[in-house]
Amino acid sequence: MNAPPRPWLDATMPVPDRVAALLAAMTLEEKVAQVHQVANPAPDDVGGFGTCIVASGEHAGNVRDAGTQARSVNALQRRAVEGTRLGIPLIVARDVIHGHRTVFPIPLGQAASFDADLVRECARVAAREATADGVRWTFAPMLDVAQDPRWGRIAESWGEDAWLAAHLGAAAVEGFQGGPDGGRLDQPDAMAACAKHYVGYGLAQGGRDYAEVDVGPHVLQNRHLRPFRAVVDAGVATVMSAFHTIDTVPMTGHTALLGDHLKGDLGFAGPVVSDWDAVGELRQHGVAADLADAARLALGAGIDIDMVSEAFATHLVDLVRAGVVPEAQLDDAVRRVLALKFRLGLFEDPWTPEDRAASVQLTDAHRALARRAAASAVVLLRNDGTLPLRPGLRRIHVTGPFATARAELFGTWTLDGRAEDAGTIADAVRERYTAPGTEVTVDDHRFGDETLVRAREADLVVACVGEHPLRSGEANSVTSLDLPAGQVEALEALARVSRRLVVVVLTGRPLALERLAHLGSAVVLAFHPGIEGGHGIADVLSGDVPPSGRLPSSLPWTTGQVPLHHDQLPTGRPLDPDGDVGRYRDHRDTPAYPFGFGLGYADVAYGEVQLSRPVLAPGDVVELSVQVTNAGAEHAALETVQLYARAHRAAVSRPVSELVGVRRVALAPGETRRVAFELDRTTLSRRDARGDLRLEPGLFTLQVGPHAGAGPTITLEVTAAP
Ligand code: NOJ
């Protein structure tokens, strides 16, 4: 028998025409297969699904699994392409969150770099490595704006600020997809990105994962939808809906936010995938009577792919035949999936060369990037001059649970990193201080009394403390943001006997470091820094690399202060920043360290701010500039110049501080540079409840400085649109 003609294989045809031709040839069962996603299929499972996830979803990214390889992906692909009637290739997906074999800092750590170029490069490398294992779709970046550090998934976020999440998220999409404007997905080293979790998931009540969310339209638009809008504009290929309910409506069945807003107002044209089993979970939410009802509800709301619940696979054929679900709805979902497969070039070349992984994974260049990223994530919180470590120290003692840790440096959602590929912090310090006369001693603090003896003998102690990765990530919330039990006591004991104590905190979330505020000589926050964390941290401690990390989240004094973020709304009764009165009777109202904060080794001074003109009229662009000087004589600085705006009058209340621009500038000792920002009306606009940009005339205070709430200010007048 002759094979049926396959006009969709003509690569010169436009994608929509290829999709239409293929769709017209499909049976109902074949269509449903395309919207069904299975987990970890065996190589001989085939035919009933269009995409698959290779990941241990049941462990929510907290446990490493066997992984996937080109050979097994090719075997699956062969069954799909050669063993089914229409030969439609599969897409193999996996959670490639912050690196693949080369593990970069957790996203929260990458965010501390405030460096979109770095984030883009890390995602590019992750894509290059993961595609070599046959993975063409990652469930990243996570774009949930996270203002409650009790929520463990803050580790996967870009922190508390929507502007930062939008910029870094878009950069990550470009990195995964291989370029701007949707990338070049048909290149074999590019992968489809997935913006998740649409939308508002970071607001989980009490920081309890999956818990309900209650949020009004203005905050939703300006804070939580903003990064999604940015990545849709950047051409993100896919979006994942979130697990939670928003104002009582589960996101998996939220027609207004999925079908109407995302696919309608925002014009998102790719497929929306549910989160793991979330279609089936509509029953637990109490809005679907059974799995068939869940399938009807989710597809109708705008879910195009059912991740693993089987609801679509089991029920959509019958629901369409019975007239309960219009076939046009299913067709729209199938079209989106097929278009992605065409864009990925899978019909032309579904195969992954089986020798590619060995040459592209964990190369020296990838390791060098991981080292740079780890150093860029380090935030210097306090320093009495002990850092950078001076040459000529007689004995450095490295201790603490992270001193000799390897896989624990990776952080949550590391499915493909291998402990044996990671160096330890202790090894990195040892490697750096090899001069005769300097000795580096090490213990992992199993015996606290031994540690104290060694500490007393040393000139300087580096104590590497913090959270195990199992305490952050999905389903890992905490009620206390203090260091894990016993660590502060151990540090206090160390401080009593050490000449100088440097505390390095490794963590998946912002912690309340109140008890470290006066303890030791220096405190640095390194997040979970990835495979080259040891070297990256040693680079900063030694001064080989200037500390440049900035806090992507405010650090509270104590857990009871959260949520705490710089872009809060004014109250009708503002506090006098210099006054004694606060709202809490037992603590301060302000954070221990504000958003954007981070010290360097050099003092950086800001000159006066200047505007090219004091008024922003319609169609205008105003340039704001400031002179920034490295006032020190000894150390280079890498300054993150931050621009914040405050509107004094608008239709609705606007935050006391809105981040609207960032510039990173390298300054040699004594060097002054002029840093400029261009402001147009979009820079200062906010969205109204429907999502339209608005800018009311009035005065704005602009502040340029090293962190939120600091630096010189200037006033700009915005005039009315004609
Ligand atoms: C559940 C998580 O919420 C999501 O982020 C992840 O991509 C999926 N599981 C798949 O592993």
Side-chain angles (χ1 to χ4, degrees):
M1 205 175 75
N2 285 341
R6 293 180 169 178
W8 57 88
L9 293 184
D10 176 359
T12 62
M13 269 163 71
V15 167
D17 296 351
R18 299 179 78 182
V19 169
L22 177 50
L23 192 68
M26 292 169 83
T27 65
L28 190 53
E29 285 77 5
E30 285 164 343
K31 291 179 185 176
V32 169
Q34 290 304 311
V35 296
H36 176 43
Q37 181 168 101
V38 298
N40 308 314
D44 49 357
D45 277 352
V46 88
F49 56 92
T51 62
C52 63
I53 167 171
V54 185
S56 41
E58 68 273 30
H59 301 301
N62 299 310
V63 176
R64 246 196 78 192
D65 60 20
T68 182
Q69 276 154 8
R71 187 187 315 180
S72 51
V73 171
N74 284 340
L76 272 173
Q77 214 51 294
R78 183 154 288 113
R79 301 287 295 223
V81 172
E82 294 169 4
T84 64
R85 190 180 75 95
L86 296 171
I88 303 173
L90 296 170
I91 309 178
V92 175
R94 184 164 172 81
D95 291 279
V96 180
I97 305 297
H98 51 108
H100 188 66
R101 178 84 184 268
T102 304
V103 183
F104 298 110
I106 54 171
L108 190 64
Q110 291 183 40
S113 72
F114 276 57
D115 184 350
D117 294 336
L118 180 74
V119 167
R120 188 181 300 106
E121 278 183 74
C122 291
R124 184 84 290 278
V125 164
R128 202 175 291 141
E129 293 195 351
T131 52
D133 282 338
V135 181
R136 295 297 302 279
W137 184 12
T138 176
F139 298 123
M142 184 176 114
L143 301 174
D144 303 309
V145 175
Q147 300 186 332
D148 188 336
R150 292 173 296 181
W151 189 53
R153 301 203 83 171
I154 197 169
E156 297 172 58
S157 81
W158 308 111
E160 74 182 33
D161 186 82
W163 184 95
L164 196 60
H167 281 75
L168 301 184
V173 167
E174 289 176 2
F176 286 127
Q177 298 193 173
D181 304 323
R184 39 175 192 91
L185 282 179
D186 59 342
Q187 297 302 303
D189 67 351
M191 68 200 310
C194 183
K196 70 186 189 185
H197 307 82
Y198 186 85
V199 57
Y201 185 33
L203 287 166
Q205 205 173 67
R208 291 182 294 278
D209 209 2
Y210 318 126
E212 67 184 86
V213 165
D214 194 9
V215 59
H218 287 95
V219 172
L220 191 64
Q221 281 295 342
N222 288 292
R223 195 173 284 152
H224 300 282
L225 277 164
R226 181 173 183 170
F228 285 93
R229 200 184 273 275
V231 299
V232 169
D233 290 347
V236 71
T238 72
V239 171
M240 183 188 293
S241 58
F243 280 126
H244 62 279
T245 57
I246 200 161
D247 188 23
T248 75
V249 182
M251 277 310 307
T252 315
H254 207 305
T255 309
L257 280 169
L258 289 171
D260 299 348
H261 197 55
L262 177 64
K263 292 178 168 181
D265 305 337
L266 304 193
F268 176 64
V272 176
V273 60
S274 79
D275 205 338
W276 181 280
D277 202 28
V279 177
E281 288 175 11
L282 288 171
R283 293 167 299 177
Q284 278 77 47
H285 282 295
V287 299
D290 51 32
L291 201 60
D293 203 20
R296 175 194 60 78
L297 195 61
L299 186 78
I303 301 290
D304 302 305
I305 300 175
D306 169 12
M307 187 191 285
V308 313
S309 90
E310 310 264 330
F312 285 7
T314 318
H315 296 289
L316 278 184
V317 169
D318 291 345
L319 288 169
V320 171
R321 289 218 168 102
V324 177
V325 166
E327 188 162 357
Q329 239 173 41
L330 174 63
D331 285 353
D332 180 58
V334 176
R335 254 186 229 108
R336 289 167 185 263
V337 176
L338 295 178
L340 178 60
K341 292 184 175 185
F342 283 116
R343 287 182 64 205
L344 283 165
L346 291 170
F347 285 86
E348 281 67 62
D349 181 8
W351 315 116
T352 307
E354 295 182 9
D355 56 356
R356 198 196 301 155
S359 60
V360 306
Q361 293 180 347
L362 204 68
T363 62
D364 290 348
H366 294 184
R367 271 197 182 279
L369 177 63
R371 181 172 184 160
R372 182 152 65 83
S376 304
V378 172
V379 184
L380 178 63
L381 293 176
R382 206 157 63 70
N383 185 17
D384 67 359
T386 296
L387 294 178
L389 301 180
R390 312 270 156 186
L393 288 167
R394 191 182 43 86
R395 186 174 296 172
I396 303 172
H397 185 63
V398 186
T399 183
F402 277 98
T404 55
R406 292 178 196 275
E408 295 78 6
L409 299 175
F410 296 168
T412 186
W413 273 119
T414 308
L415 300 178
D416 295 277
R418 300 185 194 167
E420 63 272 23
D421 294 338
T424 69
I425 300 175
D427 287 343
V429 174
R430 220 186 247 127
E431 244 176 62
R432 175 62 179 74
Y433 291 93
T434 50
T438 302
E439 190 190 0
V440 177
T441 56
V442 178
D443 80 280
D444 63 4
H445 200 74
R446 273 187 310 148
F447 296 101
D449 42 3
E450 183 207 3
T451 305
L452 295 187
V453 173
R454 304 253 176 261
R456 190 186 278 279
E457 290 166 356
D459 297 331
L460 182 135
V461 176
V462 178
C464 308
V465 299
E467 292 188 311
H468 190 277
L470 282 176
R471 225 168 80 120
S472 57
E474 186 177 345
N476 297 323
S477 302
V478 294
T479 60
S480 165
L481 299 176
D482 293 338
L483 281 168
Q487 291 193 1
V488 170
E489 289 72 12
L491 289 171
E492 283 168 353
L494 268 176
R496 281 195 288 272
V497 300
S498 308
R499 290 189 185 85
R500 272 162 291 184
L501 173 63
V502 174
V503 182
V504 180
V505 181
L506 295 103
T507 174
R509 58 163 56 77
L511 293 170
L513 300 175
E514 176 166 27
R515 291 175 69 188
L516 303 195
H518 304 290
L519 197 149
S521 318
V523 178
V524 306
L525 186 64
F527 300 95
H528 286 138
I531 201 164
E532 284 288 333
H535 285 125
I537 290 168
D539 287 343
V540 174
L541 297 184
S542 63
D544 294 345
V545 172
S548 65
R550 299 292 182 262
L551 291 176
S553 296
S554 312
L555 291 193
W557 291 103
T558 182
T559 312
Q561 287 182 298
V562 304
L564 186 66
H565 46 96
H566 76 95
D567 56 341
Q568 55 189 260
L569 296 181
T571 68
R573 299 180 174 189
L575 291 172
D576 171 2
D578 304 318
D580 300 331
V581 183
R583 300 289 178 249
Y584 288 123
R585 285 291 168 254
D586 60 347
H587 223 299
R588 299 181 218 185
D589 292 82
T590 48
Y593 296 98
F595 174 81
F597 179 86
L599 301 172
Y601 291 145
D603 285 335
V604 173
Y606 283 72
E608 267 185 29
V609 200
Q610 294 185 328
L611 287 174
S612 57
R613 62 182 87 158
V615 176
L616 180 67
D620 271 1
V621 175
V622 168
E623 190 197 69
L624 176 146
S625 61
V626 66
Q627 305 264 27
V628 185
T629 303
N630 179 345
E634 207 182 341
H635 301 293
L638 189 46
E639 181 69 0
T640 303
V641 181
Q642 300 161 42
L643 174 61
Y644 295 89
R646 174 164 189 186
H648 290 285
R649 196 198 68 84
V652 294
S653 197
R654 288 183 58 160
V656 293
S657 115
E658 295 174 41
L659 182 67
V660 295
V662 168
R663 296 275 182 280
R664 299 175 75 250
V665 50
L667 296 166
E671 186 180 357
T672 295
R673 285 176 72 165
R674 180 174 174 275
V675 176
F677 297 85
E678 293 205 326
L679 299 169
D680 61 15
R681 294 177 79 88
T682 311
T683 322
L684 298 176
S685 297
R686 295 278 282 180
R687 294 199 181 264
D688 64 15
R690 295 166 22 135
D692 294 329
L693 272 183
R694 290 177 69 104
L695 181 64
E696 278 92 8
L699 295 181
F700 280 76
T701 299
L702 303 171
Q703 183 164 40
V704 193
H707 58 79
T713 60
I714 196 162
T715 302
L716 174 72
E717 185 188 347
V718 171
T719 58

